Amino acid sequence: MIPENDTRKAQLRTLLASGIGTIHLAGICGVGMAGLAILLKARGFKVTGCDLMPNKLAGWLKARGVEVREQHDPSHITSEVTCVIRSAAVPANAAEIQTAVEKNIPVFKRGEVLPALLELSAHAIAIAGTHGKTTTTTFVAQILTSSGLQPSFCIGGEVEPLGGVAATGAGNITVVEADESDGTLALYHPEIAVITNIDFDHMEHFGGIEEFEACFQTFITQTSKCLIYCKDDARADKLCGSHPHGVSYGLSPAAMLHAKRLQEHPDSTTFQVQWQNQDLGLFTVPTPGQHNVLNALASLAVGIELGIQPDLLRTSLAKVVLPRRRFERVIDRDDIVVITDYAHHPTEITALVSAAHRLGRPRIFGVFQPHRYTRTLALGPDYPLSFQGLDEIVLCPVYAASETPLAGGSIWDLYAHCRKHTHLRTLVATSLRDAWEYCRNQMRMGDLFLIIGAGDVDRISRWVQDDLKQIRVDELHTLIGRAIRQIDLTATVVKGNEPLGGRTTLGVGGRADLWMEVGTEQDLIKIARWCRQELIPLQMLGGGSNVLVSDLGVRGVVARLTGESFRRIEEKEGLVVAGAGAPLVRLASWAEEHEKTGFEFLEGIPGSVGGAVFGNAGAWGSSIADVIAWVRVLDQDNQSRTLTRQDIEFGYRSCPTLRDLIIIEAGFRLKPGDPAAIRQRHTELAVHRKWMKGLRSAGSIFKNPVNQFAGKLIEASGLKGFTVGGASISDHHANVIVTQTGATASDVLAVLEITREEVRRQQGIRLEPEIKILE
């Protein structure tokens, strides 16, 4: 909670009452800051501002006479600036802010200024609550405008019918959304207050629920005329119920203003309104969901308090529009509906999913971006049940909102909660773009797709428009047809949307857009040329032993070299020559049969020659780099060329030289060996690997740090047996992840990432994965 400082408050009040001077807003393109800029300009101030990432609000502000500059710079703090206001996203130690301090220019937070500005209004209305305050403020502003009261307003969301996030009217009423996130809710002294609910949130600021409630209690105490609160919310009822001027609303018949006989429709809800003992008749709010009925009731209560007649309230409510990103329809067609929503708290997501079901679509799936590590940590176990009712959810990395990563608050921790508490199909994307490309590929006729979260997840809305505005869902999936039409392949099998999990030793993962089993070198050249010309990704999958395929699948083409020429092993000019598709187990057996020594370390290592060379496979102190003589590759110009050992840079479990090349075959320099000694070494190593027989794993999951062993570090961190879903750290060897039936690639990644973080936290060492992730 923010305590009031009388001297500071008096200074700010005097400044705002004067209407004289220039006020500079740092972070002006935030929705709350943009609205504040308009209110300040209306009071007579010259308003300037800057933002690190100007958005469309920059143009909106410029059209209203507010100067907006890009980036933050101390030069913005000129001699004419009389006051600086910073958003919560701009730290107190930012260069601009420090410059203002050095020049003795007063600096205030946005959350201090709006309450002080509101006090200058003849009739001040402040709307607060953990959920629904933006929508309720929007409804109130629209109802008062439709009723002819000409209010001024400042809303934490964009509302098209109202002209944006803020405006000044000729009336003597000001309506603002009062934010509790930084404790500045306690600075408001409204005439009329609304509290929609009090659900614990903003753990980054409040030490606990008691401190959170205390902030609201101060706001309640400082309300002078009428306190409107939701009786259905237990905390709101507890804190507000004894207020001498309290007005309760809700679905409960015990509320002074309550709704009954709800009739829910896909795009609206109709309900009967009872005000104390008076029946006000039938009202309609043109948006679905019981939560919006509650928002409507709060708005009606404000209207009643201001003396607006029921018939005028009825017609005004019927015309309200939701703010942007509140059940906003990006696309609404028979083949697909896409809705973007700001919901980021479990309670809000539950309400969203419930409203989505009213649309009657056969399948609902979505993408969710958690907001803040603190919230994800505190509410992680509550999220899984909020997703219930969806057919599938894709989780994206946490939107940090200036926070540093927090143990237990990552996307992988949230995923682990989902696997523990729900059977809903849950996947993890490592970027918003990956999430969208997967979801786009999953779309089918009739789907409802939800874009959920408060960070930058709404970028997906733009991609939806780009990819779907001019094309129907049933026309999306055309890659296999293009390949078959455009490439003349003579010995290659081509399949679309092909599962890859069964082609890896972990046995998990999604599908390839295109799967190709390449039969000849000529076909390989044609495929590579086509992919480069069409800008389609091409990735090679060898034996699948040191690879994890993402649950989201693999975009573009995944190819395996299966033709006889790629699998041959022969002796040539004193070298062992093997095709890239030759299995390592065959290569080791061939060497033993031909009395060649140098490949014994390959005993029990699955995979193929190409993958082994690319990853410099090794064990027991030996590696591919020790025996390689040359590698023949297909380069980026689709030309075959041979690299000698001197041309190739090998690293620990890597070969940077070959990163963008396709391996065709390799020559190895082996020595003649004693057959008995070779067999003995094979037998010894087979005994060491016997425990892995029959297990689904990718072998060592992490690289060994210098002078350390990854397995020992993991074991010392107490992680042996650690499990998410169907993936576990092996009880036998801590540097191995094993999967069970029903496991997913996201399970494996969650175990991998949580293990990395825990080892870093306990041992101070960040492990690097040895496996390749195909996505």
Side-chain angles (χ1 to χ4, degrees), residues 369-373 376 396-400 409-411:
Q369 179 191 50
H371 188 265
R372 293 188 178 274
Y373 298 107
T376 308
C396 294
V398 175
Y399 185 81
S410 75
I411 190 62

Side-chain angles (χ1 to χ4, degrees), residues 363 392 425 437-444 476-481 483-484 493-503 509-516 549-558:
R363 189 174 76 129
E392 180 174 291
R425 177 169 165 80
E437 291 183 355
Y438 167 78
C439 291
R440 181 190 60 202
N441 282 11
Q442 295 304 302
M443 286 183 175
R444 301 294 179 263
L476 276 175
H477 314 291
T478 60
L479 188 56
I480 187 170
I484 292 172
V493 174
V494 180
K495 298 179 181 180
N497 199 31
E498 184 68 6
L500 295 181
R503 293 183 166 88
R511 298 169 178 266
D513 291 346
L514 273 182
W515 167 255
M516 297 188 179
V549 176
S550 166
D551 283 326
L552 304 187
V554 185
R555 305 288 73 82
V557 176
V558 179

Side-chain angles (χ1 to χ4, degrees), residues 77-94:
I77 312 303
T78 63
S79 58
E80 70 172 9
V81 173
T82 52
C83 170
V84 174
I85 301 171
R86 67 179 178 92
S87 79
V90 177
N93 61 359

Side-chain angles (χ1 to χ4, degrees), residues 421-441:
H421 297 297
T422 180
H423 295 295
L424 170 69
R425 177 169 165 80
T426 306
L427 309 175
V428 179
T430 54
S431 71
L432 293 178
R433 188 77 218 187
D434 286 347
W436 164 237
E437 291 183 355
Y438 167 78
C439 291
R440 181 190 60 202
N441 282 11

Side-chain angles (χ1 to χ4, degrees), residues 302-365:
V302 172
I304 291 169
E305 178 63 26
L306 293 174
I308 303 173
Q309 293 302 305
D311 287 346
L312 189 50
L313 288 175
R314 182 180 296 104
T315 56
S316 298
L317 182 65
K319 295 184 291 185
V320 298
V321 173
L322 288 169
R324 188 172 178 276
R325 293 216 67 227
R326 272 66 175 183
F327 214 72
E328 179 187 355
R329 302 189 189 210
V330 180
I331 290 182
D332 189 356
R333 305 189 309 229
D334 62 338
D335 63 316
I336 186 74
V337 173
V338 179
I339 289 172
T340 182
D341 197 278
Y342 192 74
H344 56 283
H345 187 286
T347 301
E348 297 163 352
I349 296 170
T350 298
L352 168 65
V353 173
S354 176
H357 269 276
R358 290 289 169 188
L359 300 185
R361 288 278 166 160
R363 189 174 76 129
I364 307 174
F365 71 114

Side-chain angles (χ1 to χ4, degrees), residues 372-413:
R372 293 188 178 274
Y373 298 107
T374 48
R375 182 180 288 113
T376 308
L377 172 63
L379 301 180
D382 298 331
Y383 279 102
L385 290 179
S386 74
F387 299 133
Q388 292 289 10
L390 299 179
D391 293 282
E392 180 174 291
I393 189 72
V394 179
L395 305 177
C396 294
V398 175
Y399 185 81
S402 303
E403 290 185 347
T404 55
L406 189 62
S410 75
I411 190 62
W412 303 107
D413 298 297

